[in-house]
Amino acid sequence: MAENKQTNLTYRDSGVDIDAGNYSVKLIKDSVKATYRPEVLGDLGGFGGLFALNSGKYKEPVLVSGTDGVGTKLRLAFMLDKHDTIGQDAVAMCVNDILVQGAEPLFFLDYLAVGKLDPQQVATVVKGVANACKESGCALIGGETAEMSGFYSDGEYDIAGFAVGAVDKSKIITGDKIKAGDVLVGIPSSGVHSNGYSLVRKICFEVKGFDGSEKFDELGGKTLGEELLTPTRLYPSVCLPLIEKYDIHGMVHVTGGGFYENISRILPEGTGVSVNADAWEMPAIFKLLQQWGNVDWHEMYRVFNMGIGMILLVSSEDAKSIQADLAAKGEKSYIIGEVVEGNQTVEVKGGVFNE
């Protein structure tokens, strides 16, 4: 009777390459360490990231946390095989969210799940995360790269992040101070950011049949793919000095839900907001998306940021000083509306709504 010889299986045979994982860590180590703040303890590779809160900086420190992903914008990264910007999207969606409550981002952790681990691809994505953390002033103190063979297709991945910030309890921005007569200071977005991409993909790649390589005069020489992969803007370095200096009554990160959902969620009872759509120049990409998809304008302002990524609700007096401070740093800003009496409703007027 012949001897039955069984092959010795390894983890690599099942689709998980431990050596590739170790190599990817080696490739990103310098980028990660470049984000460290003085409060970071230990080194990359521990079971948990350590961060010693500077208690002398806060009287009553409150930790503010947020988590998010990039959504279906990832499909464009796969389609165009461009992975150097998507990490910034993951960071921005988290740090911008905790910023609006007055928090300084302290540290960030990322989670990256892949089908087959490509160390160079992982390094490209995580370097984008690290660069965005450094620009936001927060440390990248940990993360996880999971190789999930058979779950994601080769070359595809998902990324999510988790940010923690701190603010003094007395300085938390809740929206409670918002009152009729306040004005809205809008700070421009860098483009579509990371929301509405299911609709973007429907319009561009199903309805119009584009492949991302198309060029349009309105986009200033960028291909459609380059425009759509422009990373979400990071607002901490712009807004933290304003939070320190002024009495900010409310802040809005314009993400999924656009103007209608995001502004209304911070309004106290008895107030509403009137937005003047003529106050800023709408980026060309939004006009093109509306035309290509024949999307109702109300729907556009309900889904996209339309060129305004961050909104500060402040007194009219402070608004003038805030705009002057921003202009001195080369930052554009616009008075895009006012707070009125109402029932936590948002109305968008002007521009296309009058056509």
Side-chain angles (χ1 to χ4, degrees):
M1 186 174 180
E3 184 180 352
N4 183 18
K5 291 187 177 180
Q6 185 176 358
T7 303
N8 293 325
L9 292 175
T10 66
Y11 209 5
R12 180 181 291 181
D13 293 325
S14 70
V16 179
D17 191 336
I18 294 174
D19 292 333
N22 292 335
Y23 182 51
S24 68
V25 172
K26 182 179 179 180
L27 291 176
I28 65 175
K29 194 166 187 177
D30 289 343
S31 296
V32 172
K33 292 185 74 171
T35 72
Y36 284 3
R37 298 166 47 125
E39 300 97 325
V40 176
L41 306 178
D43 201 353
L44 185 67
F47 285 99
L50 303 176
F51 190 96
L53 183 65
N54 180 3
S55 57
K57 187 175 180 180
Y58 308 95
K59 294 179 180 178
E60 292 184 276
V62 174
L63 296 180
V64 183
S65 60
T67 184
D68 210 337
V70 178
T72 62
K73 188 174 185 177
L74 286 168
R75 283 288 169 200
L76 275 75
F78 305 154
M79 181 190 303
L80 303 173
D81 195 23
K82 181 173 168 52
H83 309 281
D84 58 337
T85 61
I86 218 75
Q88 177 168 324
D89 287 302
V91 174
M93 295 301 288
C94 296
V95 298
N96 291 343
D97 273 356
I98 66 173
L99 176 70
V100 300
Q101 291 182 280
E104 173 195 4
L106 298 177
F107 59 84
F108 186 85
L109 296 96
D110 65 329
Y111 173 79
L112 183 63
V114 304
K116 181 176 175 58
L117 201 150
D118 177 343
Q120 293 294 341
Q121 184 191 66
V122 168
T124 299
V125 173
V126 177
K127 283 178 181 178
V129 171
N131 290 339
C133 283
K134 192 171 183 180
E135 185 178 333
S136 301
C138 65
L140 177 57
I141 64 169
E144 165 72 0
T145 301
E147 190 170 15
M148 300 170 64
S149 177
F151 196 86
Y152 295 97
S153 299
D154 289 356
E156 295 190 356
Y157 55 87
D158 195 10
I159 184 170
F162 183 93
V164 173
V167 59
D168 256 323
K169 189 175 182 179
S170 63
K171 296 181 180 179
I172 298 173
I173 299 173
T174 63
D176 289 347
K177 294 181 179 179
I178 296 171
K179 63 185 185 304
D182 285 349
V183 298
L184 281 67
V185 179
I187 303 176
S189 67
S190 56
V192 183
H193 283 184
S194 297
N195 296 104
Y197 274 83
S198 292
L199 181 55
V200 168
R201 292 186 303 111
K202 179 79 173 179
I203 292 169
C204 294
F205 307 119
E206 291 187 37
V207 174
K208 299 300 293 184
F210 297 143
D211 64 14
S213 65
E214 298 81 5
K215 287 192 174 185
F216 301 93
D217 292 340
E218 296 93 331
L219 299 181
K222 287 184 180 179
T223 65
L224 177 62
E226 289 169 340
E227 175 66 34
L228 294 177
L229 278 178
T230 300
T232 306
R233 187 174 179 188
L234 300 157
Y235 290 100
S237 63
V238 175
C239 292
L240 282 173
L242 302 177
I243 292 171
E244 294 264 340
K245 186 175 180 181
Y246 297 100
D247 182 16
I248 308 294
H249 295 172
M251 290 181 68
V252 178
H253 181 205
V254 187
T255 56
F259 284 74
Y260 296 103
E261 304 297 330
N262 287 296
I263 298 176
S264 64
R265 67 199 288 188
I266 70 159
L267 294 177
E269 290 186 11
T271 63
V273 159
S274 176
V275 174
N276 175 17
D278 286 324
W280 73 95
E281 180 67 25
M282 185 197 308
I285 185 59
F286 297 109
K287 298 177 184 177
L288 292 173
L289 288 170
Q290 190 278 331
Q291 292 167 10
W292 293 336
N294 192 29
V295 182
D296 181 82
W297 280 109
H298 181 278
E299 182 76 355
M300 291 293 294
Y301 282 84
R302 194 168 75 95
V303 175
F304 301 112
N305 67 63
M306 304 304 285
I308 297 293
M310 185 66 70
I311 301 172
L312 313 180
L313 288 83
V314 297
S315 69
S316 57
E317 294 79 15
D318 278 347
K320 296 175 184 177
S321 300
I322 287 170
Q323 284 199 289
D325 280 0
L326 289 171
K329 296 178 180 179
E331 296 287 349
K332 291 182 178 180
S333 64
Y334 308 92
I335 302 297
I336 67 167
E338 62 178 341
V339 179
V340 297
E341 293 182 359
N343 188 29
Q344 297 171 310
T345 54
V346 177
E347 182 179 19
V348 181
K349 301 178 179 178
V352 294
F353 287 92
N354 290 336
E355 292 180 359

